[in-house]
Amino acid sequence: KGAELSLENGEKKLRKAENSSIRKLVSRDKYDIKVEKWREITQEDRKALKYLHEELDTRKRNRSSAQEALERAKKQVAARNQLDKQRKVLLEQAFQGLGGDASEAYWAAERNTLRLVYEESMKRSDEQTKALRHLEKAKEQMAAGHDRLRRALNYNTVDLFSRGRGDLLSLYASAQTNQRVREAKQLHEQAQSSFKDAVEINPDIPDAQAAKINFSAFLSFTNIFIDGLVTDIVVRRKVNKAIHESAMAQKRVNAAYMHQISFCAELKADANQNRLNLDRAEEALERERVRLIHQPVY
């Protein structure tokens, strides 16, 4: 019996060892599979990274080549414009002292008129571009002011929930609320000034009071000097109202900004068309003067 029990225990240990070995082999196979998969993923990532580096290098080389080509083109255009100016000056000098006929006089008058029209259109386009820059500045200031109001509301929320838990935290939140409201008020006043400058240049901008927001004087001092639950609730309502007015003002300023962009595009197109008309008139005048210079004298 002792031998049988010993044999039985030996068989159990053998089965246990076999099972353990099998589990280890399976685990090792799984581990090897995972390692092989990770190795493949790593190789793919390395290939992708290498491709991205090559693409980046190619783009850098192309960018430098494009920049060099652009610089060469600019130099060629400048040289061509300089030669064109010299040619026109020589033509003017050669034509001095010669009498023009009716055709030459017509094109000279047409050239002078179109030049005035072109200069006036460019002047107007530049002025409206200044108005567009003022509106863009007002748009940025309005967005910054709206962000300050959002932060003030967050600090007011902290102030409400910290009530009764710590006077220092409540006082800090109240101070930050007041500070953000003052900053928002200042930014909105700057936006209103920028919008006013744009309206002075272009009175046709829709909604001349687009950037105007009414900040209650209650917000400027109450939250610190009369600190309390009721005061915090009232301040929260006032800040929410200011946020709503700020959002509406932002929409109006954005609408005015888009209107000015369209207006500036129309003026730029008119100026370009006037420039084309002026170039045609100058070419026609040049042809007439060349004809008169080469006209035989009897």
Side-chain angles (χ1 to χ4, degrees):
K1 289 183 180 179
E4 289 176 356
L5 289 173
S6 178
L7 179 61
E8 187 178 354
N9 290 331
E11 290 177 350
K12 288 181 180 179
K13 291 180 180 180
L14 180 60
R15 286 195 297 270
K16 186 176 180 181
E18 288 177 350
N19 292 334
S20 178
S21 300
I22 291 172
R23 284 197 298 269
K24 288 181 180 179
L25 289 174
V26 172
S27 299
R28 185 180 299 174
D29 290 340
K30 289 182 179 180
Y31 175 76
D32 292 339
I33 292 172
K34 287 183 179 179
V35 168
E36 187 65 25
K37 185 177 180 181
W38 291 338
R39 187 178 289 114
E40 293 176 358
I41 293 174
T42 303
Q43 290 177 355
E44 292 177 358
D45 290 342
R46 286 177 179 173
K47 290 180 181 179
L49 183 61
K50 183 180 179 181
Y51 173 76
L52 290 175
H53 279 301
E54 294 175 353
E55 184 71 16
L56 181 61
D57 294 338
T58 303
R59 290 189 180 185
K60 286 181 178 179
R61 288 194 297 269
N62 293 339
R63 183 181 299 175
S64 60
S65 301
Q67 190 68 24
E68 293 175 359
L70 180 61
E71 293 297 329
R72 289 197 300 269
K74 287 182 179 180
K75 290 180 181 179
Q76 291 176 359
V77 170
R80 186 181 62 184
N81 292 338
Q82 185 66 24
L83 291 174
D84 192 54
K85 288 181 181 178
Q86 293 176 359
R87 181 179 57 79
K88 290 182 179 181
V89 170
L90 290 175
L91 181 60
E92 290 284 346
Q93 293 175 354
F95 190 73
Q96 287 179 358
L98 298 178
D101 58 3
S103 179
E104 189 274 338
Y106 167 78
W107 284 113
E110 186 73 9
R111 189 270 311 269
N112 295 334
T113 302
L114 290 175
R115 179 177 293 172
L116 291 175
V117 172
Y118 171 70
E119 291 175 353
E120 184 64 26
S121 63
M122 283 300 299
K123 181 179 178 181
R124 190 181 181 194
S125 178
D126 292 340
E127 289 178 352
Q128 296 304 320
T129 302
K130 291 180 181 178
L132 181 62
R133 286 197 292 267
H134 286 305
L135 286 174
E136 186 175 2
K137 186 177 180 181
K139 182 181 175 183
E140 294 174 354
Q141 291 166 340
M142 287 290 297
H146 189 77
D147 179 69
R148 296 299 191 283
L149 288 174
R150 286 288 184 187
R151 294 184 185 181
L153 186 65
N154 293 336
Y155 279 114
N156 180 260
T157 302
V158 174
D159 191 10
L160 284 172
F161 282 98
S162 64
R163 182 68 52 193
R165 299 182 183 180
D167 294 337
L168 290 178
L169 180 59
S170 177
L171 184 61
Y172 173 77
S174 297
Q176 290 298 320
T177 302
N178 197 40
Q179 177 66 22
R180 296 301 177 268
V181 169
R182 284 200 301 267
E183 292 175 357
K185 183 178 180 181
Q186 183 179 4
L187 286 167
H188 282 88
E189 288 175 352
Q190 293 173 0
Q192 189 173 354
S193 177
S194 300
F195 196 88
K196 184 178 179 182
D197 293 337
V199 172
E200 288 179 357
I201 297 175
N202 183 13
D204 295 332
I205 291 178
D207 200 349
Q209 300 296 327
K212 186 175 181 181
I213 296 177
N214 294 321
F215 280 87
S216 175
F218 182 84
L219 290 174
S220 61
F221 65 91
T222 303
N223 200 28
I224 289 182
F225 294 105
I226 313 176
D227 195 12
L229 180 60
V230 177
T231 302
D232 291 339
I233 294 174
V234 174
V235 168
R236 187 175 185 82
R237 291 178 181 175
K238 296 286 185 179
V239 173
N240 274 321
K241 182 179 178 182
I243 289 174
H244 176 71
E245 291 185 5
S246 175
M248 297 303 295
Q250 272 188 296
K251 290 181 180 180
R252 294 193 295 268
V253 170
N254 290 340
Y257 178 73
M258 297 305 298
H259 170 81
Q260 188 67 15
I261 287 178
S262 300
F263 186 52
C264 288
E266 292 176 1
L267 292 178
K268 191 67 176 178
D270 291 341
N272 291 336
Q273 184 61 43
N274 292 333
R275 180 69 215 184
L276 289 175
N277 295 335
L278 176 60
D279 291 341
R280 294 192 188 100
E282 287 182 344
E283 291 174 0
L285 178 61
E286 183 177 341
R287 288 195 299 270
E288 292 298 324
R289 288 183 172 179
V290 170
R291 177 182 63 81
L292 291 174
I293 290 173
H294 293 88
Q295 185 175 5
V297 180
Y298 299 101

